[in-house]
Amino acid sequence: MFDKKLSYSISFSLVIFVVFLAIGALTIGQNSGSAETLIQALNDDLFSYINEQDSATMAVTLFINNLEASILLFIGGATFGVVTLIVLLTNGVIIGFVLEYAAKAQGVAAVAAGIIPHGIFEIPAFIISSGLGFLLAESLWMEYKGMDDAAEYAGKLAKVFLMIVIPLLAAAAIIEAFITPQIIDLVVQGV
């Protein structure tokens, strides 16, 4: 029963993410000035700091940033899923916006090189964290109705988070810090 509920919750999270990713990508066509403002803010606040670090420090920084987001997606379920939903759709819109902007500026191959190597680990970690958050919300609702023990269920969800999400985030951070830059260089140089 737990696996089936988790599968549904992850699928629900994926659909939300993809819909808002598409909205973000479509929005850029409506307002390219906002895209440039967002890209500049991301460069100033996050990317410039990360790019100034050596690869090992960058991997740790990326892991911590992504872990914080994943924890927020998971424990956001304690707000009956409101925070989980807001964080998930916001990230979907921003990522869609940035991907579309980068694809127009650098080309699809450069965007794929910059996303796919680590994204195959990072995006599932976020989607699974969201699914866990929505299950936590459901469990709290069921406990409120006297039909479940949310604390016990949260423990099961936390085990999934520890066993699946954290290793995915660690792999993503290592790949993003050490491998993704090399792949981007190869693609940009046309090798």
Side-chain angles (χ1 to χ4, degrees):
M1 182 65 159
F2 178 74
D3 291 338
K4 191 173 186 178
K5 288 175 80 171
L6 182 58
S7 294
Y8 288 143
S9 186
I10 290 170
S11 297
F12 175 72
S13 298
L14 179 61
V15 168
I16 291 171
F17 179 75
V18 169
V19 165
F20 283 92
L21 184 85
I23 289 170
L26 293 172
T27 303
I28 194 171
Q30 304 297 320
N31 191 350
S32 60
S34 294
E36 291 172 12
T37 302
L38 176 63
I39 298 298
Q40 188 61 46
L42 288 171
N43 280 332
D44 293 345
D45 293 341
L46 179 62
F47 298 129
S48 65
Y49 171 69
I50 289 175
N51 290 334
E52 294 172 359
Q53 301 174 348
D54 62 90
S55 294
T57 305
M58 184 168 71
V60 171
T61 301
L62 291 166
F63 176 75
I64 291 170
N65 286 341
N66 291 331
L67 181 61
E68 288 173 351
S70 294
I71 289 171
L72 188 57
L73 286 164
F74 175 34
I75 65 170
T79 62
F80 292 98
V82 173
V83 170
T84 300
L85 181 63
I86 290 170
V87 172
L88 183 62
L89 66 88
T90 301
N91 278 302
V93 168
I94 290 171
I95 292 169
F97 209 75
V98 170
L99 290 178
E100 183 66 19
Y101 179 83
K104 286 182 179 180
Q106 300 294 322
V108 174
V111 172
I115 296 295
I116 292 173
H118 66 276
I120 60 174
F121 298 99
E122 187 175 285
I123 294 171
F126 290 153
I127 301 301
I128 293 167
S129 297
S130 300
L132 295 170
F134 289 128
L135 285 179
L136 179 60
E138 178 188 35
S139 178
L140 288 169
W141 181 251
M142 297 303 280
E143 182 174 19
Y144 174 74
K145 292 170 46 176
M147 299 167 48
D148 199 4
D149 180 2
E152 181 183 330
Y153 199 69
K156 291 178 184 178
L157 298 174
K159 286 179 186 174
V160 173
F161 186 89
L162 293 172
M163 293 174 54
I164 297 174
V165 173
I166 290 180
L168 286 172
L169 293 175
I174 291 167
I175 292 168
E176 189 171 3
F178 290 96
I179 298 171
T180 298
Q182 304 304 320
I183 294 172
I184 291 171
D185 285 344
L186 289 173
V187 170
V188 170
Q189 294 172 6
V191 174

